[in-house]
Amino acid sequence: MIPVADVSLNGHELAYVTECITTGWISSLGKYVREFEEKFSQFCGSKYGIATSNGTTAIHLALAVLGIGPGDEVIVPSLTFIATANAVVYTGAKPVFADSEWTSWNLDPARLEEKITPRTKAIIPVHLYGHPADMDPIMGIAKRHSLFVVEDAAEAHGARYKGKRVGSLGDLSSFSFYGNKIITTGEGGMVLTDNVEWDERARQLRDHGMSKQKRYWHPEIGYNYRLTNVQAAIGVAQMERIDDILARKRQNAALYNELLQDVPGITLPPEAPWAENVYWMYSILVQDEYGMSRDELMQVLRANEIDSRPFFYLIHTMPPYADSITPQEAAHGFPVAAQLSQRGINLPSAPGLTHEQIEYICRVIRQNRR
Ligand SMILES: *Cc1c(COP(=O)(O)O)cnc(C)c1O
């Protein structure tokens, strides 16, 4: 089976992890945590990086830093991984779901303002599958309405918006380093910001809310969201190879695009003129013209030893969130996101895919059209 994603740990990962073990620095103190925070925040063009235990705790921590809580609303795309909405719920606030746009497959800035109420405190644009959200209009709307913007960049390490790396564009941002993400620490995450006060507050909240000046004095209820030195050691080794990983992903996407561009009924992934997509997942849409449904194509791929994934379900359609919108909104409020969710497939996207494997996958897609 050609996998959708793989993990490649053949750089200095083993050497750095071994060093953690031989020196005994396996918990969350140790030089690699700071080094990983510095290298990754610098890579993204942000001043401060606060490593966390995973990408979900990173979003939660960013929202906690902003003081978001019960009674507040936070706008999120309905088409994203569930963690974006769950992290809002962890604060006591309510996620408000918004539609996507065709240009970027992300939050539609034109349909954002209709979601704003006096309770709205923040917007979380997600850079889905590696393509940046259209940040300038989103930031403009946020500014006009005095809202915070937290980027969920869990799927888009290194992607660029108008030349700038995602994660450096909002007030705060969050990343994930889960095993299938662009770089990994096994489990892990990071919050980025340029604001020194938010950096300090995030560090305090990450460590049980303990005062920096007074050990075991806790002015507020915090969390244990720390990353271990062992995980950070893997992250530092992965950072040595991130440029190579991103280059491979873009090369693979270029080959996919070339071989699939004229297959009727197959829509290629977007790359807006202002964007550099990192193709975390190389994704296509299966239109009616292809002659079989998305799910049928996935079965054909599977029968040919090719793994794939469907796009995420819209979050507001799942049980915990079913009451979050009116039936009217559910039926008509998400025309673009609903199409994307129904028609989208993530194809194998591992950086280690060979030319021959991509040619084979495209041949199967081309030849099975009805
Ligand atoms: C992976 C992911 C997360 C959560 O990251 P974890 O490290 O699995 O907690 C959040 N948001 C998006 C969009 C993701 O893809």
Side-chain angles (χ1 to χ4, degrees), residues 54-57 59 80-81 83-84 126 152 154-155 176-178 181 187-188 280 312:
N54 59 61
T56 310
T57 53
I59 308 171
T80 176
F81 183 59
T84 317
V126 180
D152 181 348
E155 305 183 355
S176 166
F177 306 111
Y178 181 66
K181 298 291 160 83
E187 294 276 1
W280 171 56
F312 300 123

Side-chain angles (χ1 to χ4, degrees), residues 28-29 33-34 37 49-53 57 61 64-65 189-191 199-210 220-227:
S28 50
L29 292 176
V33 177
R34 270 293 182 174
E37 289 174 338
I50 305 96
T52 60
S53 48
T57 53
L61 192 61
V65 162
M190 202 176 300
V191 173
D199 171 57
E200 281 174 10
R201 188 156 158 70
R203 286 177 192 288
Q204 178 169 305
L205 284 170
R206 175 181 68 175
D207 192 16
H208 301 288
M210 185 163 74
E220 61 184 335
I221 292 179
Y223 313 95
N224 175 0
Y225 283 175
R226 297 178 305 239
L227 187 78

Side-chain angles (χ1 to χ4, degrees), residues 152-356:
D152 181 348
E155 305 183 355
H157 318 54
R160 289 180 197 269
Y161 179 76
K162 299 186 180 173
K164 283 193 181 156
R165 288 232 155 99
V166 302
S168 65
L169 306 160
D171 294 298
L172 297 122
S173 66
S174 61
F175 286 84
S176 166
F177 306 111
Y178 181 66
N180 67 0
K181 298 291 160 83
I182 289 170
I183 61 164
T184 184
T185 59
E187 294 276 1
M190 202 176 300
V191 173
L192 300 184
T193 185
D194 282 342
N195 181 316
V196 64
E197 280 161 30
W198 288 341
D199 171 57
E200 281 174 10
R201 188 156 158 70
R203 286 177 192 288
Q204 178 169 305
L205 284 170
R206 175 181 68 175
D207 192 16
H208 301 288
M210 185 163 74
S211 161
K212 203 167 119 186
Q213 286 78 30
K214 203 166 158 186
R215 175 159 286 210
Y216 302 131
W217 182 257
H218 304 265
E220 61 184 335
I221 292 179
Y223 313 95
N224 175 0
Y225 283 175
R226 297 178 305 239
L227 187 78
T228 67
N229 200 47
V230 182
Q231 292 167 310
I234 298 173
V236 168
Q238 293 265 292
M239 281 309 290
E240 294 169 2
R241 300 162 48 217
I242 190 168
D243 292 327
D244 181 49
I245 292 170
L246 292 172
R248 280 165 190 267
K249 281 198 172 277
R250 283 188 59 82
Q251 280 162 16
N252 289 348
L255 183 58
Y256 266 126
N257 280 344
E258 185 190 320
L259 298 176
L260 292 176
Q261 63 179 342
D262 56 353
V263 181
I266 296 296
T267 302
L268 304 183
E271 184 164 52
W274 37 259
E276 191 174 300
N277 190 345
V278 288
Y279 302 98
W280 171 56
M281 285 288 153
Y282 183 86
S283 306
I284 56 171
L285 306 179
V286 184
Q287 310 289 0
D288 294 340
E289 204 189 345
Y290 185 74
M292 73 172 83
S293 71
R294 183 269 307 272
D295 293 349
E296 287 168 326
L297 176 55
M298 286 180 64
Q299 278 172 25
V300 169
L301 291 170
R302 175 158 291 270
N304 285 278
E305 308 267 298
I306 300 162
D307 202 8
S308 64
R309 297 274 183 281
F311 273 24
F312 300 123
Y313 294 103
L314 299 188
I315 294 181
H316 70 261
T317 65
M318 290 186 270
Y321 295 100
D323 294 336
S324 64
I325 59 171
T326 64
Q328 168 77 11
E329 262 188 301
H332 306 291
F334 302 84
V336 179
Q339 289 289 313
L340 290 167
S341 171
Q342 265 173 39
R343 297 183 181 277
I345 302 187
N346 307 131
L347 295 177
S349 303
L353 277 182
T354 65
H355 208 93
E356 291 69 33

